Amino acid sequence: MKQHQRLFLSLVAIAFSFVLRVHAGVPDSIPQHVRAWDEYLEEQRYLGLLSDEELAELQQLYDELRHSPWDINEVTPEELQRIPFLRDFQVTCFIDYRRCSGPFRSLSDLKLVRGWDAKLLTLLLPVLVCREGREQEKGTESRGQLEFVGRVSLRKQTETKQEGLGGNESALLRFLYERKRHTSLYLSAEKDYLEPWNYGRHRGFDSYNAHLAIRERGLLHSLVLGDYRVTRGCGLVLGQGIYPMSFLSLAPRLPEGIRPIRSSTETNFCRGIALELGHRSFRLGTFASARSLDGKVDEDKVITSLSETGLHRTSSEWSRRAMVPMRLFGGWVEYREDLWRIALQGVHQDWHRYILHSASGASHRPRLHDLSSSSALSLSYAVQSRQGQAKLMGELGRSNLGAWATIHHLLLQQLQVGDLRLSYWYVGSDYWSYYGHGGTHALRPNDEAGGRFMWLVALPLSATSLELYADRYRRLSEAKADTVKHRGWSYGANLNVELNQRKTASLLASFRERRKAGESKVQRFSLSLHQAQKEWESTCTFRWSRAGGKASWAVLGVVHTELRPHIRISLFGDYFEAPNWQSRLYASHPRARYEYTSMLLFGEGYDLGLRLTWKPNYHILLEGKIVHQHQRYDTRPSMTQATFTLLYRP
């Protein structure tokens, strides 16, 4: 492709983001910043502050809340903690206002809550509702909600060689029934690209998920049968799918408890029974799980590898499918007051009659070889000031091998200089927990010490926000080593500027640099301009990264509008040059419903796509998405992908 053609495609991506203005004649039908959640998550992922698993978890939360928004007169502090835009100080002020002033009369009353500004309200409006009096009683007496979802995706590549056992189609079936927020029943089945419908004795979808959940019934706080995730403390012993799950994230908010699976997943979850009881200030919980993981087992019943990718596309991957049985048991007891809480939790896991050759992510530690089981016990705490401006939380854990680990977070908010967050972690060389996700830079919490500093600067300009952060870590066992391989640091900044008083245009600039011993530095920069009008909404983004001595860049554009009151259309495109894997980029394209992956930008080429959504009434939603990625060189295949989704609520 010639230089002028590259320039032309880049200009097209920018032009249709700002010039194309389709007037639908329905001025108030499109809420402003309807993609704010998506943009926030994509930006965090691009900078390396969110993992793929964290991104999927938050996208699932957004889908859940768009389907069943929280009533601001009923929502609990624990639920509010799950929203990434909300700080602890804002949650505390919300609860205090509702307790002192009584029920909210409308969503506009949220403007009266301290710390809840117009920008935050715009971000949260799609996931909140307000019911009062008879309307609230009527909602409580509802007969429940039922949802059926069917999704089929087709993918065509320029390569003629078939690399998988199955075809280039994926499929998802999803069923959800909810009643009064107290009962839910969920079933899902999914098959991914290149996975077979029939192979050996296998027939049907590749993976299934299901749960029956009962919540808030007298002493019963939560009961789940089926698939669920459990989080306790700071995630040192047990942290399945929490947000944020690692110190890569800026704000350590850790929602605790049992969460039933509401998506199709094969990663990081339990399958069995979980129970939590509560009376006044006490909470008592327990769970038991038994499921099979992918892996290799030799003739001596030694597990040589473990995997939870859930990909079964080739005969080699299929031979490892569900080969390793894993049993997990645990429990906790907690005492909590308004301003503080303390809890003791423990977990035990084994692999039935098998031996784990080496702990995942800790193969360099001899004491973590040939494990028949693994156990850990921890004490967690959290204490905050009455207004929520200061909060200290942490966890101290010990494994069955006698190794110790600790994590602590200090949050100081609404200071004259802004918000400050400090974190420190020390994880012993022989400490390890398979489902722990305490935030180390390794796959599992093991053999690391480090700290993090984050400062949300209080600027004199109300329309501007600046976020600065830095962290540093090292592997403990390399303290006296001649060669250091696992030591690094990173720093970065996020700048957000509102360009007008109506807050319909904003500019976001982000930069991050990461260095690791023995490796070249990785730099990432992003500049995004967002506009939201009554009839349309657009975003134009420039992204740049440098790693391995090579630089990558991309220009992306997105436009959203409504053709008619029930028909919404999104147009998107990009041009990219990403020559190596280390500096790869991701495209923040509009997602199809229950789609949790981003388009990878690797190679050189462009993407063009369209998403069309038709929602004639509450009961039916039809959505189609098509995207074509053209690659300039044959080293990467060009690809066209189409996705069709049907959602039905009786």
Side-chain angles (χ1 to χ4, degrees), residues 113-365:
V113 179
R114 185 183 178 189
W116 287 56
D117 55 20
K119 180 179 179 180
L120 177 64
L121 293 177
T122 304
L123 297 174
L124 295 179
L125 283 180
V127 299
L128 298 175
V129 295
C130 180
R131 300 188 183 96
E132 184 189 12
R134 294 181 179 179
E135 184 182 357
Q136 189 172 359
E137 294 176 1
K138 182 179 179 180
T140 304
E141 295 173 356
S142 64
R143 298 178 58 187
Q145 300 183 61
L146 189 64
E147 177 183 285
F148 296 94
V149 175
R151 190 189 74 199
V152 177
S153 296
L154 305 174
R155 185 172 65 180
K156 182 178 181 181
Q157 296 182 344
T158 54
E159 292 180 335
T160 57
K161 182 180 178 180
Q162 186 74 6
E163 298 180 350
L165 298 172
N168 279 319
E169 76 280 350
S170 68
L172 167 69
L173 291 179
R174 185 177 189 272
F175 166 86
L176 174 65
Y177 173 78
E178 274 191 308
R179 181 177 175 85
K180 302 179 183 179
R181 296 183 64 198
H182 296 301
T183 306
S184 65
L185 175 64
Y186 175 80
L187 300 168
S188 70
E190 185 175 33
K191 171 205 167 302
D192 210 344
Y193 298 108
L194 302 181
E195 293 179 337
W197 292 101
N198 304 301
Y199 188 75
R201 297 182 179 181
H202 172 79
R203 300 291 185 272
F205 290 89
D206 180 66
S207 65
Y208 299 86
N209 295 101
H211 82 250
L212 171 64
I214 303 174
R215 299 178 295 274
E216 305 297 340
R217 292 288 189 181
L219 294 177
L220 179 64
H221 183 70
S222 180
L223 171 64
V224 180
L225 300 174
D227 298 342
Y228 57 90
R229 288 186 170 121
V230 183
T231 300
R232 294 301 309 166
C234 294
L236 192 60
V237 168
L238 196 59
Q240 295 180 312
I242 60 179
Y243 173 79
M245 293 188 296
S246 69
F247 286 94
L248 298 177
S249 304
L250 300 180
R253 276 210 312 274
L254 307 172
E256 296 182 276
I258 305 166
R259 296 201 311 281
I261 293 293
R262 290 172 172 262
S263 62
S264 181
T265 183
E266 297 178 72
T267 302
N268 199 17
F269 71 96
C270 294
R271 175 165 288 170
I273 183 171
L275 171 68
E276 186 174 36
L277 303 175
H279 179 64
R280 295 182 179 178
S281 298
F282 287 94
R283 292 277 181 89
L284 178 66
T286 185
F287 67 94
S289 169
R291 55 184 289 249
S292 296
L293 306 183
D294 295 349
K296 288 184 178 180
V297 181
D298 64 18
E299 57 185 10
D300 296 323
K301 293 188 176 182
V302 175
I303 304 168
T304 58
S305 69
L306 279 175
S307 172
E308 288 196 65
T309 63
L311 298 177
H312 308 117
R313 302 161 299 182
T314 65
S315 56
S316 176
E317 292 174 342
W318 197 268
S319 66
R320 298 191 293 267
R321 185 176 188 265
M323 291 296 295
V324 181
M326 176 181 283
R327 300 185 299 190
L328 187 68
F329 312 93
W332 62 90
V333 58
E334 179 184 61
Y335 181 83
R336 59 171 60 193
E337 293 290 347
D338 291 339
L339 301 180
W340 63 276
R341 68 177 184 270
I342 188 170
L344 181 69
Q345 47 266 326
V347 64
H348 172 83
Q349 70 180 82
D350 62 47
W351 298 271
H352 203 38
R353 296 182 298 271
Y354 296 88
I355 300 296
L356 182 63
H357 174 65
S358 61
S360 303
S363 58
H364 64 288
R365 300 301 302 168

Side-chain angles (χ1 to χ4, degrees), residues 357-369 429 432 446 475:
H357 174 65
S358 61
S360 303
S363 58
H364 64 288
R365 300 301 302 168
R367 292 190 67 193
L368 295 175
H369 285 207
S429 299
W432 181 81
N446 167 255
R475 176 173 281 183

Side-chain angles (χ1 to χ4, degrees), residues 614-627:
W614 179 52
K615 187 178 180 181
N617 51 52
Y618 168 82
H619 305 287
I620 296 176
L621 182 143
L622 288 174
E623 186 175 71
K625 175 184 173 182
I626 184 169
V627 57

